[in-house]
Every structure is written in C-alpha cells, then in structure tokens.
Amino acid sequence: MKQTNSMTRQNRKLWIIVNYLSIILVLGFFYIGKYYDLPTLALIGGAVSLILLIFSFVKVFIKTQLWKLAHTSDKNLDERQLQVILSSLRYSYSAFTIITLAIIYGFAVAGQGPIDVVVAACLLYFAHTLPAAIVGWKEKII
C-alpha cells in the first residue's frame, strides 16, 4: 500500500499532536462553558476546535493514508505492514485502556458522576485513530 501524499515523520508527529490537542480543546471549551455557564464561549470555542480537529484529521490520517492502512483487512496487507499494524494495535489497546480507566475513575473520584456524551465521543474518536497515530509516529516510511 503506497501513500499518495508523503509527509515526513516529523510533520506527521506535529499534526498528530495538533489533532489530539484539538480534542483536548473541544473538551476544555465544553467544560468551561458547562461549569461557568458560558454557552457562547463553549459553542464558538468548540466549533473552532472541531474545525481544527477535522482539518488535522484529513491532513494526517486521510492524505497520508494512515487511516486506510490501519483499517484495511489483513488480507490486503503484506507481511511488514501486517506486523506494523499488529504492533500498533497492541500499543493502542494498552494506552486506550489505561487512559479510559483514568478518565472514568477521575470522574468518579472528583464526584462528577458518569462521563458526559462529549467525553464518550472523544474517547470513541481516540480509539479509532490511535492505531493509525502510532503507525504515523513510529514508522519512517509507511
């Protein structure tokens, strides 16, 4: 599977960071708006953060074909690609489990109750992009 729009590993790392920071911004604006009763700030800040999230997703996951690589059937991968994907899935499963448990228990300890739907949506996005992000972060040539 050859990539059509190459990007250096350093640039991929930068865009992966931008992508995940935009998730944090979405959550930050959501909670600032919720707890300080600032719906306009939450809406505008969240919208700008969401646009940045979508732009960085397209830039780092779609244009480099990381998304396609991480979501391709194993029958369509060569031996090297298969090993790379299996390794990224192992790392992403471990990281996602730890992060998710920390968030859930953090909410419980802070007395915030169950997680909000926005956090759940961000975790779902994180779960689906993390394997591709790990490949993009670690591999010199995809």
Side-chain angles (χ1 to χ4, degrees), residues 79-98:
E79 195 64 33
R80 179 192 160 289
Q81 291 170 329
L82 189 57
Q83 291 303 317
V84 167
I85 293 302
L86 289 175
S87 175
S88 73
L89 287 170
R90 184 175 55 247
Y91 287 126
S92 64
Y93 177 77
S94 299
F96 180 76
T97 302
I98 292 167

Side-chain angles (χ1 to χ4, degrees), residues 1-72:
M1 184 176 296
K2 298 217 182 225
Q3 88 187 62
T4 57
N5 185 0
S6 65
M7 183 185 291
T8 65
R9 183 166 50 169
Q10 185 173 352
N11 282 341
R12 285 193 316 260
K13 287 181 177 182
L14 174 68
W15 282 107
I16 289 167
I17 290 169
V18 168
N19 188 261
Y20 288 135
L21 283 178
S22 63
I23 293 174
I24 293 169
L25 286 174
V26 166
L27 290 170
F29 282 116
F30 172 74
Y31 281 108
I32 287 170
K34 181 178 177 179
Y35 289 115
Y36 294 108
D37 196 27
L38 299 169
T40 305
L41 176 68
L43 184 64
I44 293 170
V48 170
S49 301
L50 192 58
I51 290 168
L52 180 60
L53 176 73
I54 293 167
F55 178 78
S56 61
F57 174 80
V58 169
K59 181 104 175 147
V60 76
F61 294 116
I62 301 299
K63 288 190 175 182
T64 62
Q65 294 190 5
L66 284 169
W67 179 265
K68 185 176 180 181
L69 178 65
H71 292 84
T72 297

